[in-house]
Amino acid sequence: MKRAILLGCTGSIGTTAITAIRDKNLDIQVVALSAHTNAPKLFSLAESLSVEAVCLTGGNCPPSSHFKTYSHTEGLKQMLRTFEADIILNAIAGFDGLEATIACIECGRDVALANKESVVCGGSFLFDLAKQHGVNIIPVDSEHSALYELMKHRSKDDIESLIITASGGPFRDLPYDEFDTITVEQALRHPTWNMGRKITIDSATLANKALEVIEASYLFGFPSEKIEVVIHPQSIVHSMVRLKDGAVYAQLGTPDMTLPIVNALIDGSERLVKPLSFSHLQLTFDEPDFKRFPLLSEAFSILKRRGSTPIAFNAADEVAVHAFLNKQCSYAKMVSCVLKTMDNDWDLHVSNFAETVEIDRKARALARSFL
Ligand code: NDP
Ligand code: MG
């Protein structure tokens, strides 16, 4: 039985993980949980899973007679040091997930990493740190999970490029001159995936795909010229690898995060998701439209600039999406806020967490000035 800790357990990924662990009778014992502010849901999940500890990172955690309780980020670190685990799922949303990933690594625990911001913002030092501590980082993001599986038994030297698929989001076919009228409600209606609010908005602007291009580059060590993005509205092909000999290998499945989450937690499970049916299955592919989705093209220039640019992009996007979700700015302003922030000189070298936090703060302040 594998001992697991689930961070961000009250969110979309966290809830999917818990449902799978419970319903599929997986060989996983959940020993501890974290959430940010949703104490009632945290406690109800903790009781149903009989965990040993919980942490509320965004406030003071109420006491419990059933399990030990911790509060704030310092409490989270203490909980991670105290409770043994074979693997930690980091399903925290946003930049704050990076500190948790570092804490997991420093405790020597393998990380099933859904928090893509950790890789995007900490990519320049995170993997060296993991190596020093003998820690494996296993991607949970569906595209990267697919690439991880596709690359498992293949030499990197044989691979020409990585092909990341994108559904294209709800505005895939919307004419450019109608982008001004997009509402929060429309942007939250993702055609194929059911996810948290921030990532759903990012899927509408394709900022999510931009983050994923950067994530793939750091995770697998491929430069921007060797990463392709293909629009695939059905979200059945999760990603592909193009080999130097011309062959292309793909991973297919229904759009369900259960498989990538469980694959990152344990090896070899019984049937996890509905088998893919090929009757009436139509798969289509197209090129992305960089004009209508300029945030996607940012990823490729960011990877050429490197330094602190990915951190600034992520920070500006978090600020802009937050404002859009709170109806403080339009869709167009959200996008232009990120683009304007990126015009700044961000080509600074970053080699540790403190420097990353510094850049994040500066980029947030600049982004706010454009709203
Ligand atoms: P949600 O918003 O649904 O859930 C976020 C979780 O993180 C909640 O448990 C929340 O706690 C907690 N949290 C929020 N802010 C903080 C913070 N500042 N510090 C600590 N914990 C915090 O997000 P998702 O589950 O959609 O996404 C989680 C991560 O996984 C993101 O990085 C996302 O990009 C990535 N991902 C998600 C996919 C999906 O299908 N949803 C697919 C691929 C990647 P509380 O409920 O108490 O606020
Ligand atoms: Mg993804």
PDB file of all heavy atoms in Angstrom, residues 340-367:
ATOM      1  N   LYS A 340       1.468  43.392 -22.530  1.00  0.00           N
ATOM      2  CA  LYS A 340       2.199  44.612 -22.166  1.00  0.00           C
ATOM      3  C   LYS A 340       3.231  44.302 -21.082  1.00  0.00           C
ATOM      4  O   LYS A 340       4.337  44.845 -21.096  1.00  0.00           O
ATOM      5  CB  LYS A 340       1.226  45.678 -21.656  1.00  0.00           C
ATOM      6  CG  LYS A 340       0.485  46.385 -22.767  1.00  0.00           C
ATOM      7  CD  LYS A 340      -0.351  47.495 -22.157  1.00  0.00           C
ATOM      8  CE  LYS A 340      -1.285  48.104 -23.160  1.00  0.00           C
ATOM      9  NZ  LYS A 340      -2.364  48.843 -22.521  1.00  0.00           N
ATOM     10  N   THR A 341       2.870  43.442 -20.145  1.00  0.00           N
ATOM     11  CA  THR A 341       3.823  43.086 -19.074  1.00  0.00           C
ATOM     12  C   THR A 341       5.056  42.412 -19.674  1.00  0.00           C
ATOM     13  O   THR A 341       6.180  42.650 -19.241  1.00  0.00           O
ATOM     14  CB  THR A 341       3.149  42.148 -18.036  1.00  0.00           C
ATOM     15  OG1 THR A 341       1.947  42.755 -17.591  1.00  0.00           O
ATOM     16  CG2 THR A 341       4.064  41.871 -16.854  1.00  0.00           C
ATOM     17  N   MET A 342       4.843  41.628 -20.716  1.00  0.00           N
ATOM     18  CA  MET A 342       5.959  40.894 -21.327  1.00  0.00           C
ATOM     19  C   MET A 342       6.883  41.808 -22.129  1.00  0.00           C
ATOM     20  O   MET A 342       8.002  41.417 -22.455  1.00  0.00           O
ATOM     21  CB  MET A 342       5.441  39.761 -22.227  1.00  0.00           C
ATOM     22  CG  MET A 342       4.702  38.674 -21.486  1.00  0.00           C
ATOM     23  SD  MET A 342       5.497  38.190 -19.942  1.00  0.00           S
ATOM     24  CE  MET A 342       6.961  37.395 -20.561  1.00  0.00           C
ATOM     25  N   ASP A 343       6.414  43.034 -22.457  1.00  0.00           N
ATOM     26  CA  ASP A 343       7.274  43.975 -23.189  1.00  0.00           C
ATOM     27  C   ASP A 343       8.440  44.463 -22.346  1.00  0.00           C
ATOM     28  O   ASP A 343       9.407  45.000 -22.861  1.00  0.00           O
ATOM     29  CB  ASP A 343       6.460  45.208 -23.634  1.00  0.00           C
ATOM     30  CG  ASP A 343       5.606  44.882 -24.847  1.00  0.00           C
ATOM     31  OD1 ASP A 343       5.898  43.861 -25.489  1.00  0.00           O
ATOM     32  OD2 ASP A 343       4.645  45.623 -25.112  1.00  0.00           O
ATOM     33  N   ASN A 344       8.318  44.303 -21.031  1.00  0.00           N
ATOM     34  CA  ASN A 344       9.385  44.727 -20.124  1.00  0.00           C
ATOM     35  C   ASN A 344      10.631  43.841 -20.316  1.00  0.00           C
ATOM     36  O   ASN A 344      10.549  42.759 -20.888  1.00  0.00           O
ATOM     37  CB  ASN A 344       8.866  44.578 -18.691  1.00  0.00           C
ATOM     38  CG  ASN A 344       9.667  45.369 -17.696  1.00  0.00           C
ATOM     39  OD1 ASN A 344       9.911  46.546 -17.921  1.00  0.00           O
ATOM     40  ND2 ASN A 344      10.070  44.734 -16.622  1.00  0.00           N
ATOM     41  N   ASP A 345      11.762  44.309 -19.818  1.00  0.00           N
ATOM     42  CA  ASP A 345      12.978  43.502 -19.908  1.00  0.00           C
ATOM     43  C   ASP A 345      13.004  42.486 -18.754  1.00  0.00           C
ATOM     44  O   ASP A 345      13.315  42.831 -17.615  1.00  0.00           O
ATOM     45  CB  ASP A 345      14.189  44.441 -19.825  1.00  0.00           C
ATOM     46  CG  ASP A 345      15.491  43.658 -19.826  1.00  0.00           C
ATOM     47  OD1 ASP A 345      15.459  42.477 -20.216  1.00  0.00           O
ATOM     48  OD2 ASP A 345      16.521  44.230 -19.442  1.00  0.00           O
ATOM     49  N   TRP A 346      12.683  41.238 -19.069  1.00  0.00           N
ATOM     50  CA  TRP A 346      12.631  40.200 -18.036  1.00  0.00           C
ATOM     51  C   TRP A 346      13.770  39.193 -18.179  1.00  0.00           C
ATOM     52  O   TRP A 346      13.696  38.100 -17.622  1.00  0.00           O
ATOM     53  CB  TRP A 346      11.296  39.431 -18.093  1.00  0.00           C
ATOM     54  CG  TRP A 346      10.119  40.257 -17.744  1.00  0.00           C
ATOM     55  CD1 TRP A 346       9.126  40.655 -18.584  1.00  0.00           C
ATOM     56  CD2 TRP A 346       9.792  40.811 -16.455  1.00  0.00           C
ATOM     57  NE1 TRP A 346       8.206  41.415 -17.916  1.00  0.00           N
ATOM     58  CE2 TRP A 346       8.588  41.525 -16.601  1.00  0.00           C
ATOM     59  CE3 TRP A 346      10.398  40.773 -15.193  1.00  0.00           C
ATOM     60  CZ2 TRP A 346       7.980  42.190 -15.545  1.00  0.00           C
ATOM     61  CZ3 TRP A 346       9.792  41.441 -14.147  1.00  0.00           C
ATOM     62  CH2 TRP A 346       8.600  42.137 -14.325  1.00  0.00           C
ATOM     63  N   ASP A 347      14.782  39.547 -18.954  1.00  0.00           N
ATOM     64  CA  ASP A 347      15.805  38.537 -19.243  1.00  0.00           C
ATOM     65  C   ASP A 347      16.844  38.404 -18.117  1.00  0.00           C
ATOM     66  O   ASP A 347      18.039  38.414 -18.341  1.00  0.00           O
ATOM     67  CB  ASP A 347      16.494  38.869 -20.577  1.00  0.00           C
ATOM     68  CG  ASP A 347      15.469  38.957 -21.698  1.00  0.00           C
ATOM     69  OD1 ASP A 347      14.837  40.023 -21.833  1.00  0.00           O
ATOM     70  OD2 ASP A 347      15.257  37.963 -22.382  1.00  0.00           O
ATOM     71  N   LEU A 348      16.358  38.309 -16.873  1.00  0.00           N
ATOM     72  CA  LEU A 348      17.271  38.196 -15.731  1.00  0.00           C
ATOM     73  C   LEU A 348      17.495  36.732 -15.397  1.00  0.00           C
ATOM     74  O   LEU A 348      16.593  35.912 -15.537  1.00  0.00           O
ATOM     75  CB  LEU A 348      16.666  38.900 -14.505  1.00  0.00           C
ATOM     76  CG  LEU A 348      16.343  40.378 -14.691  1.00  0.00           C
ATOM     77  CD1 LEU A 348      15.406  40.862 -13.598  1.00  0.00           C
ATOM     78  CD2 LEU A 348      17.642  41.182 -14.680  1.00  0.00           C
ATOM     79  N   HIS A 349      18.685  36.432 -14.904  1.00  0.00           N
ATOM     80  CA  HIS A 349      18.983  35.051 -14.534  1.00  0.00           C
ATOM     81  C   HIS A 349      18.311  34.733 -13.187  1.00  0.00           C
ATOM     82  O   HIS A 349      18.372  35.533 -12.263  1.00  0.00           O
ATOM     83  CB  HIS A 349      20.504  34.888 -14.428  1.00  0.00           C
ATOM     84  CG  HIS A 349      20.904  33.499 -14.066  1.00  0.00           C
ATOM     85  ND1 HIS A 349      20.739  32.429 -14.933  1.00  0.00           N
ATOM     86  CD2 HIS A 349      21.420  32.989 -12.917  1.00  0.00           C
ATOM     87  CE1 HIS A 349      21.146  31.332 -14.326  1.00  0.00           C
ATOM     88  NE2 HIS A 349      21.569  31.632 -13.116  1.00  0.00           N
ATOM     89  N   VAL A 350      17.677  33.574 -13.104  1.00  0.00           N
ATOM     90  CA  VAL A 350      17.015  33.169 -11.857  1.00  0.00           C
ATOM     91  C   VAL A 350      17.526  31.800 -11.452  1.00  0.00           C
ATOM     92  O   VAL A 350      17.494  30.860 -12.254  1.00  0.00           O
ATOM     93  CB  VAL A 350      15.477  33.102 -12.050  1.00  0.00           C
ATOM     94  CG1 VAL A 350      14.798  32.602 -10.783  1.00  0.00           C
ATOM     95  CG2 VAL A 350      14.924  34.455 -12.424  1.00  0.00           C
ATOM     96  N   SER A 351      18.003  31.674 -10.203  1.00  0.00           N
ATOM     97  CA  SER A 351      18.548  30.368  -9.828  1.00  0.00           C
ATOM     98  C   SER A 351      18.028  29.833  -8.500  1.00  0.00           C
ATOM     99  O   SER A 351      18.467  28.784  -8.044  1.00  0.00           O
ATOM    100  CB  SER A 351      20.078  30.436  -9.773  1.00  0.00           C
ATOM    101  OG  SER A 351      20.450  31.444  -8.858  1.00  0.00           O
ATOM    102  N   ASN A 352      17.095  30.549  -7.879  1.00  0.00           N
ATOM    103  CA  ASN A 352      16.532  30.003  -6.632  1.00  0.00           C
ATOM    104  C   ASN A 352      15.138  30.569  -6.361  1.00  0.00           C
ATOM    105  O   ASN A 352      14.655  31.451  -7.084  1.00  0.00           O
ATOM    106  CB  ASN A 352      17.472  30.278  -5.447  1.00  0.00           C
ATOM    107  CG  ASN A 352      17.740  31.767  -5.290  1.00  0.00           C
ATOM    108  OD1 ASN A 352      16.810  32.577  -5.320  1.00  0.00           O
ATOM    109  ND2 ASN A 352      19.003  32.135  -5.144  1.00  0.00           N
ATOM    110  N   PHE A 353      14.521  30.069  -5.303  1.00  0.00           N
ATOM    111  CA  PHE A 353      13.142  30.437  -5.001  1.00  0.00           C
ATOM    112  C   PHE A 353      13.009  31.927  -4.649  1.00  0.00           C
ATOM    113  O   PHE A 353      12.074  32.595  -5.108  1.00  0.00           O
ATOM    114  CB  PHE A 353      12.608  29.556  -3.856  1.00  0.00           C
ATOM    115  CG  PHE A 353      11.201  29.867  -3.465  1.00  0.00           C
ATOM    116  CD1 PHE A 353      10.158  29.732  -4.381  1.00  0.00           C
ATOM    117  CD2 PHE A 353      10.895  30.328  -2.182  1.00  0.00           C
ATOM    118  CE1 PHE A 353       8.849  30.038  -4.033  1.00  0.00           C
ATOM    119  CE2 PHE A 353       9.593  30.630  -1.827  1.00  0.00           C
ATOM    120  CZ  PHE A 353       8.567  30.490  -2.750  1.00  0.00           C
ATOM    121  N   ALA A 354      13.964  32.444  -3.853  1.00  0.00           N
ATOM    122  CA  ALA A 354      13.873  33.851  -3.426  1.00  0.00           C
ATOM    123  C   ALA A 354      13.880  34.777  -4.642  1.00  0.00           C
ATOM    124  O   ALA A 354      13.083  35.723  -4.724  1.00  0.00           O
ATOM    125  CB  ALA A 354      15.025  34.188  -2.485  1.00  0.00           C
ATOM    126  N   GLU A 355      14.743  34.501  -5.600  1.00  0.00           N
ATOM    127  CA  GLU A 355      14.794  35.333  -6.816  1.00  0.00           C
ATOM    128  C   GLU A 355      13.495  35.195  -7.622  1.00  0.00           C
ATOM    129  O   GLU A 355      13.017  36.154  -8.219  1.00  0.00           O
ATOM    130  CB  GLU A 355      15.986  34.918  -7.689  1.00  0.00           C
ATOM    131  CG  GLU A 355      17.324  35.323  -7.093  1.00  0.00           C
ATOM    132  CD  GLU A 355      18.530  34.707  -7.807  1.00  0.00           C
ATOM    133  OE1 GLU A 355      18.351  34.006  -8.840  1.00  0.00           O
ATOM    134  OE2 GLU A 355      19.647  34.924  -7.318  1.00  0.00           O
ATOM    135  N   THR A 356      12.929  33.999  -7.613  1.00  0.00           N
ATOM    136  CA  THR A 356      11.676  33.752  -8.334  1.00  0.00           C
ATOM    137  C   THR A 356      10.542  34.581  -7.734  1.00  0.00           C
ATOM    138  O   THR A 356       9.757  35.206  -8.453  1.00  0.00           O
ATOM    139  CB  THR A 356      11.310  32.244  -8.277  1.00  0.00           C
ATOM    140  OG1 THR A 356      12.448  31.494  -8.670  1.00  0.00           O
ATOM    141  CG2 THR A 356      10.139  31.903  -9.170  1.00  0.00           C
ATOM    142  N   VAL A 357      10.486  34.609  -6.400  1.00  0.00           N
ATOM    143  CA  VAL A 357       9.442  35.369  -5.700  1.00  0.00           C
ATOM    144  C   VAL A 357       9.580  36.856  -6.022  1.00  0.00           C
ATOM    145  O   VAL A 357       8.582  37.550  -6.270  1.00  0.00           O
ATOM    146  CB  VAL A 357       9.524  35.118  -4.168  1.00  0.00           C
ATOM    147  CG1 VAL A 357       8.619  36.078  -3.401  1.00  0.00           C
ATOM    148  CG2 VAL A 357       9.163  33.678  -3.854  1.00  0.00           C
ATOM    149  N   GLU A 358      10.815  37.319  -6.064  1.00  0.00           N
ATOM    150  CA  GLU A 358      11.088  38.734  -6.358  1.00  0.00           C
ATOM    151  C   GLU A 358      10.548  39.107  -7.752  1.00  0.00           C
ATOM    152  O   GLU A 358       9.870  40.123  -7.927  1.00  0.00           O
ATOM    153  CB  GLU A 358      12.621  38.903  -6.297  1.00  0.00           C
ATOM    154  CG  GLU A 358      13.141  40.297  -6.481  1.00  0.00           C
ATOM    155  CD  GLU A 358      12.753  41.225  -5.355  1.00  0.00           C
ATOM    156  OE1 GLU A 358      12.455  40.737  -4.262  1.00  0.00           O
ATOM    157  OE2 GLU A 358      12.705  42.444  -5.620  1.00  0.00           O
ATOM    158  N   ILE A 359      10.833  38.279  -8.739  1.00  0.00           N
ATOM    159  CA  ILE A 359      10.355  38.544 -10.107  1.00  0.00           C
ATOM    160  C   ILE A 359       8.827  38.476 -10.151  1.00  0.00           C
ATOM    161  O   ILE A 359       8.167  39.321 -10.760  1.00  0.00           O
ATOM    162  CB  ILE A 359      10.935  37.513 -11.118  1.00  0.00           C
ATOM    163  CG1 ILE A 359      12.461  37.573 -11.149  1.00  0.00           C
ATOM    164  CG2 ILE A 359      10.338  37.697 -12.511  1.00  0.00           C
ATOM    165  CD1 ILE A 359      13.054  38.823 -11.752  1.00  0.00           C
ATOM    166  N   ASP A 360       8.268  37.476  -9.478  1.00  0.00           N
ATOM    167  CA  ASP A 360       6.805  37.315  -9.445  1.00  0.00           C
ATOM    168  C   ASP A 360       6.149  38.587  -8.909  1.00  0.00           C
ATOM    169  O   ASP A 360       5.194  39.094  -9.498  1.00  0.00           O
ATOM    170  CB  ASP A 360       6.467  36.087  -8.579  1.00  0.00           C
ATOM    171  CG  ASP A 360       4.971  35.919  -8.380  1.00  0.00           C
ATOM    172  OD1 ASP A 360       4.312  35.429  -9.316  1.00  0.00           O
ATOM    173  OD2 ASP A 360       4.456  36.297  -7.305  1.00  0.00           O
ATOM    174  N   ARG A 361       6.693  39.120  -7.809  1.00  0.00           N
ATOM    175  CA  ARG A 361       6.117  40.330  -7.192  1.00  0.00           C
ATOM    176  C   ARG A 361       6.196  41.512  -8.171  1.00  0.00           C
ATOM    177  O   ARG A 361       5.234  42.255  -8.329  1.00  0.00           O
ATOM    178  CB  ARG A 361       6.864  40.700  -5.900  1.00  0.00           C
ATOM    179  CG  ARG A 361       6.777  39.654  -4.810  1.00  0.00           C
ATOM    180  CD  ARG A 361       5.379  39.604  -4.152  1.00  0.00           C
ATOM    181  NE  ARG A 361       5.277  38.431  -3.275  1.00  0.00           N
ATOM    182  CZ  ARG A 361       4.749  37.262  -3.615  1.00  0.00           C
ATOM    183  NH1 ARG A 361       4.260  37.077  -4.834  1.00  0.00           N
ATOM    184  NH2 ARG A 361       4.678  36.270  -2.752  1.00  0.00           N
ATOM    185  N   LYS A 362       7.358  41.693  -8.796  1.00  0.00           N
ATOM    186  CA  LYS A 362       7.545  42.824  -9.726  1.00  0.00           C
ATOM    187  C   LYS A 362       6.580  42.727 -10.896  1.00  0.00           C
ATOM    188  O   LYS A 362       5.967  43.714 -11.303  1.00  0.00           O
ATOM    189  CB  LYS A 362       8.976  42.799 -10.279  1.00  0.00           C
ATOM    190  CG  LYS A 362       9.959  43.527  -9.422  1.00  0.00           C
ATOM    191  CD  LYS A 362      11.270  43.677 -10.181  1.00  0.00           C
ATOM    192  CE  LYS A 362      12.367  44.101  -9.212  1.00  0.00           C
ATOM    193  NZ  LYS A 362      13.692  43.665  -9.590  1.00  0.00           N
ATOM    194  N   ALA A 363       6.460  41.533 -11.457  1.00  0.00           N
ATOM    195  CA  ALA A 363       5.593  41.336 -12.624  1.00  0.00           C
ATOM    196  C   ALA A 363       4.131  41.566 -12.259  1.00  0.00           C
ATOM    197  O   ALA A 363       3.368  42.142 -13.041  1.00  0.00           O
ATOM    198  CB  ALA A 363       5.791  39.936 -13.196  1.00  0.00           C
ATOM    199  N   ARG A 364       3.743  41.132 -11.057  1.00  0.00           N
ATOM    200  CA  ARG A 364       2.349  41.358 -10.616  1.00  0.00           C
ATOM    201  C   ARG A 364       2.062  42.857 -10.518  1.00  0.00           C
ATOM    202  O   ARG A 364       1.020  43.329 -10.960  1.00  0.00           O
ATOM    203  CB  ARG A 364       2.104  40.699  -9.249  1.00  0.00           C
ATOM    204  CG  ARG A 364       1.777  39.239  -9.372  1.00  0.00           C
ATOM    205  CD  ARG A 364       1.713  38.533  -8.027  1.00  0.00           C
ATOM    206  NE  ARG A 364       1.923  37.119  -8.285  1.00  0.00           N
ATOM    207  CZ  ARG A 364       0.939  36.249  -8.504  1.00  0.00           C
ATOM    208  NH1 ARG A 364      -0.308  36.636  -8.441  1.00  0.00           N
ATOM    209  NH2 ARG A 364       1.227  34.994  -8.791  1.00  0.00           N
ATOM    210  N   ALA A 365       3.009  43.594  -9.930  1.00  0.00           N
ATOM    211  CA  ALA A 365       2.811  45.041  -9.765  1.00  0.00           C
ATOM    212  C   ALA A 365       2.687  45.706 -11.132  1.00  0.00           C
ATOM    213  O   ALA A 365       1.802  46.543 -11.355  1.00  0.00           O
ATOM    214  CB  ALA A 365       3.976  45.629  -8.971  1.00  0.00           C
ATOM    215  N   LEU A 366       3.548  45.311 -12.067  1.00  0.00           N
ATOM    216  CA  LEU A 366       3.504  45.910 -13.401  1.00  0.00           C
ATOM    217  C   LEU A 366       2.184  45.555 -14.100  1.00  0.00           C
ATOM    218  O   LEU A 366       1.521  46.412 -14.685  1.00  0.00           O
ATOM    219  CB  LEU A 366       4.708  45.418 -14.233  1.00  0.00           C
ATOM    220  CG  LEU A 366       4.867  46.037 -15.611  1.00  0.00           C
ATOM    221  CD1 LEU A 366       5.072  47.551 -15.510  1.00  0.00           C
ATOM    222  CD2 LEU A 366       6.058  45.418 -16.361  1.00  0.00           C
ATOM    223  N   ALA A 367       1.793  44.296 -14.000  1.00  0.00           N
ATOM    224  CA  ALA A 367       0.543  43.859 -14.643  1.00  0.00           C
ATOM    225  C   ALA A 367      -0.638  44.651 -14.104  1.00  0.00           C
ATOM    226  O   ALA A 367      -1.508  45.089 -14.862  1.00  0.00           O
ATOM    227  CB  ALA A 367       0.349  42.358 -14.434  1.00  0.00           C
TER     228      ALA A 367
END
